[in-house]
Amino acid sequence: PATGQEEQRLSHDIQHENYLTYKKSFGEHNLSALAGMQIQQWNFEFSRIQAIAFSSDLVETFNNVAELNTGRTLTNRSAHRLASFYGRLSYNFAGRYLLAGTIRRDGSSRFGLNNRYGNFPSVSAGWRISGEPFWDGLRDVVSDFKVRAGFAVTGNERIGDYDSQFLYGPGFIYNSINGVAPIQLGDVGLGWENTEQFNYGVDLEFLQGRAAVTFDVYRKTTRDLLYEVPLPEETGF
């Protein structure tokens, strides 16, 4: 018999962002600031129709189906949202002494109701030694020499869209009747994975930019790791 299948996928990503910037110089003092917010939403829809047999192979549309494969005919839909608020402040004196700090607050629909938002700060400092007067005699050879240090916390939310929720699923048969049953335990405390990183670096530039070398040393620590661990089968999940 003639068989056929039709699938449709629709996905879209909507993003909206607003931010303000400010810059000001007072002699050799330079200040800049930024504040903003961003919201983003991902939507995905999927549908599939599969026919075991068509009444005629002359008509290829699904109003000609003699029998549908109900086990393979389905639709589903999922969504994921992020809301972010952030700010940054940076300062430098004569391009030699550099300071910067940022703060972010992010919320994800993937996490439990009690732990959807996380705070992620960062701070950095640098000293351009080659800008000091005592470096004048060396500038033809080492045109730029900067040391820097920084600390930052970043978040990770790369899990399933509904991993924190108590879920039911169809396809469970009771006395020959199709029904639903629990398929996933919920966790209202599931939240952001946090990675802390300390970074120390040196930037060197030689012969007016003809060659450059960068050295970096860092220490990275991840807390509240998002990791899927199998549960004992006695739990039923």
Side-chain angles (χ1 to χ4, degrees):
T3 62
Q5 176 175 295
E6 181 175 298
E7 292 185 355
Q8 293 188 13
R9 290 177 172 86
L10 172 64
S11 62
H12 60 272
D13 173 4
I14 301 172
Q15 178 175 314
H16 179 71
E17 185 171 10
N18 295 300
Y19 59 90
L20 297 171
T21 59
Y22 172 80
K23 293 183 179 181
K24 188 69 174 179
S25 296
F26 310 89
E28 292 189 295
H29 302 273
N30 302 288
L31 183 70
S32 67
L34 179 145
M37 58 83 64
Q38 176 182 332
I39 55 176
Q40 195 164 5
Q41 175 175 317
W42 295 264
N43 294 277
F44 177 75
E45 297 180 20
F46 172 79
S47 65
R48 178 175 61 219
I49 304 173
Q50 188 173 90
I52 296 175
F54 284 82
S55 300
S56 168
D57 59 2
L58 299 178
V59 181
E60 298 179 356
T61 55
F62 277 75
N63 58 349
N64 182 41
V65 171
E67 183 181 0
L68 280 174
N69 184 343
T70 55
R72 294 280 296 170
T73 296
L74 60 90
T75 65
N76 60 45
R77 181 174 60 187
S78 63
H80 168 217
R81 297 174 180 88
L82 276 175
S84 304
F85 309 90
Y86 52 87
R88 182 183 70 210
L89 184 66
S90 61
Y91 165 81
N92 77 77
F93 175 74
R96 297 198 301 269
Y97 311 110
L98 315 169
L99 289 171
T102 66
I103 181 68
R104 289 184 62 95
R105 181 169 174 81
D106 295 292
S108 171
S109 65
R110 288 174 166 171
F111 295 129
L113 291 175
N114 296 345
N115 216 0
R116 284 192 167 168
Y117 282 87
N119 300 312
F120 308 104
S122 72
V123 62
S124 62
W127 177 25
R128 179 165 279 108
I129 302 174
S130 57
E132 300 291 348
F134 62 77
W135 202 260
D136 290 345
L138 300 172
R139 196 165 290 118
D140 290 339
V141 179
V142 182
S143 50
D144 190 27
F145 178 24
K146 181 173 70 176
V147 295
R148 50 187 166 76
F151 168 78
V153 180
T154 56
N156 173 29
E157 52 105 44
R158 291 191 293 272
I159 58 175
D161 290 337
Y162 306 105
D163 280 358
S164 68
Q165 299 186 23
F166 189 94
L167 298 182
Y168 287 84
F172 295 88
I173 307 300
Y174 303 92
N175 292 328
S176 302
I177 300 174
N178 188 21
V180 298
I183 59 173
Q184 177 178 288
L185 288 172
D187 183 1
V188 295
L190 183 63
W192 289 86
E193 174 183 301
N194 296 279
T195 299
E196 300 175 355
Q197 179 168 317
F198 292 89
N199 189 86
Y200 310 94
V202 176
D203 299 321
L204 293 167
E205 188 177 274
F206 303 95
L207 305 174
Q208 303 303 317
R210 291 182 176 87
V213 177
T214 295
F215 298 96
D216 275 292
V217 177
Y218 67 89
R219 179 179 180 180
K220 183 184 291 187
T221 304
T222 297
R223 308 182 191 279
D224 299 321
L225 181 70
L226 294 173
Y227 185 73
E228 188 172 352
V229 179
L231 295 177
E233 292 187 3
E234 290 80 4
T235 64
F237 294 89

